[in-house]
Amino acid sequence: MSVSHREGPSELHHGLSSRQISMISIAGIIGAGLFIGSANAIAMTGPAVLISYVMTGILVLLVMRMLGEMAVANPDTGSFSTYATRAVGPWAGFTVGWLYWWFWVLIIPVEAIAAANILHQWLPGIPSWAFAFIIMIALSATNLFNVRNFGEFEFWFACVKVLAIVAFIAACLSALIGFWPFLPGGRAEPVAVFSHFMPHGAGAVLAGMLVTMFSFFGAEIVTIAAGETANPRAKIRQATNLVVYRISLFYVCSIALIVALVPFDDPRLLTVGSFQRTLEVLNLPGAKIVVDAVVLVAVASCMNAGLYTASRMIFSLSRRGDAPAALSDLSPRGVPRNAVVASTLVGFAGCLVNYLLPGQVFAFLLSTTGSIALLVYLMIAVSQLRSRRAAERAGVELPFRMWLFPWLTWLVIGVITLVLAYMAVSQDYRYEVLMTAGVTAMILIMAVSRRRLEPPPTGSASPPAR
């Protein structure tokens, strides 16, 4: 899949501003998984879910530090896919890049359907499928125009999410210390957390990690988006350094307040979600409409980011000859329009399949993404291990380094391997692991076969977008 000569821009435009990159790095770790999905983790694990979130947060922090080391040294729109190609081999970059694209093009219809369901509740006269397709068309149009539009949408989406979480934390603290006007005496009765801290045993903590892992996936988007901003090295370094504070504030703090106010076995927790149930306990008027509005913004943000991320990944794959050459074409504004359209069409197909065959084909497809986040993190760690050793042999001084190398890198590789092994033997997760393994095997076969059939290159391809 060679890259043909193209007229017009040869590189992505640096259209993202510093404030947009800053908020994109926040938006990447705040999705509907926090507002709704955290209820599953709390019910499964009990108050010990805090341990699950802390352990997952540490794992993501270390992965982001490793990715930051490679991205600061060599910013690239292909991010970890490009680094895997250089450090491990073309088959690795091909496989992890296509897996990542597959993950996001299936998440796009999931988020569109979730947003459509909320809007359908507000306006029941309009069918849910119509809302889903309208949302997809609208966000696709913003991504096609220029990258600044994507950045501006994500900036305001992220602002709403951050303000919502800060307001939620302030409300919970006010109720716990006795200054909440919607409760008698202004005080909420805290739950006896430590008397039932680990009701389902230590194994549930690991199972909770598997649920929370999905919520954190997306933090790496900033290393992809940084390729379309001026001075990407500084932006990546800053975003990576701030990950720990954002995880602590947005996840650990908010989840700690939820388990302090809502019993883990509350029957409404799984029905309405953790944030809504907490606000109901606080007797906030209109709790449902408030949470629905925030979740609507969260899923629209995730869909917007998913479309952007999928298009940039397949664009980078095309530039490296790992996807059809037409997908690397750029519009006069420096937007990979064919990559955006291709990713959107797959998203549309997912929506269509879901509405025509509800609960059948689309559920099967979605199950193939179950372990992709862990595989991506594993490849980031392996790539960093090999690229760091190569840099040390060459005497290259890296401007941004992973802590305690190589011990923490090996620790991450070991933990991810153990989690994948646990999923493979667990009856609850074995199906997802097998589905992901099947897709991965197919992509690996494509990678190996293509390399064997491809004739030796006669010239150099266009360099990756930076």
Side-chain angles (χ1 to χ4, degrees), residues 65-74 79-80 82-89 379-398 400-402 405-406 409 413:
R65 185 76 186 192
M66 289 185 281
L67 181 57
E69 176 183 288
M70 296 182 288
V72 169
N74 189 10
S79 188
F80 49 83
T82 302
Y83 309 140
T85 295
R86 295 169 182 168
V88 182
M379 185 56 70
I380 289 172
V382 172
S383 299
Q384 187 268 337
L385 179 69
R386 292 176 65 91
S387 63
R388 175 71 170 268
R389 284 178 170 169
E392 289 177 348
R393 287 194 299 268
V396 176
E397 186 69 25
L398 296 172
F400 191 73
R401 290 171 171 263
M402 173 62 181
F405 180 83
T409 300
I413 292 173

Side-chain angles (χ1 to χ4, degrees), residues 139-203:
L139 291 180
S140 298
T142 65
N143 274 268
L144 278 171
F145 189 69
N146 61 45
V147 71
R148 186 175 289 108
N149 280 2
F150 158 75
E152 200 63 22
F153 269 83
E154 278 303 285
F155 175 82
W156 291 109
F157 284 154
C159 284
V160 171
K161 291 189 287 186
V162 169
L163 289 174
I165 293 174
V166 171
F168 176 81
I169 292 172
C172 292
L173 290 174
S174 298
L176 287 171
I177 62 178
F179 290 99
W180 186 244
F182 303 108
L183 289 172
R187 183 184 297 276
E189 189 66 28
V191 175
V193 172
F194 293 104
S195 62
H196 299 88
F197 186 71
M198 201 176 289
H200 302 305

Side-chain angles (χ1 to χ4, degrees), residues 118 122 276 285-295:
I118 293 173
W122 296 349
Q276 181 177 325
K288 176 174 172 53
I289 192 72
V290 170
V291 174
D292 279 351
V294 174
V295 171

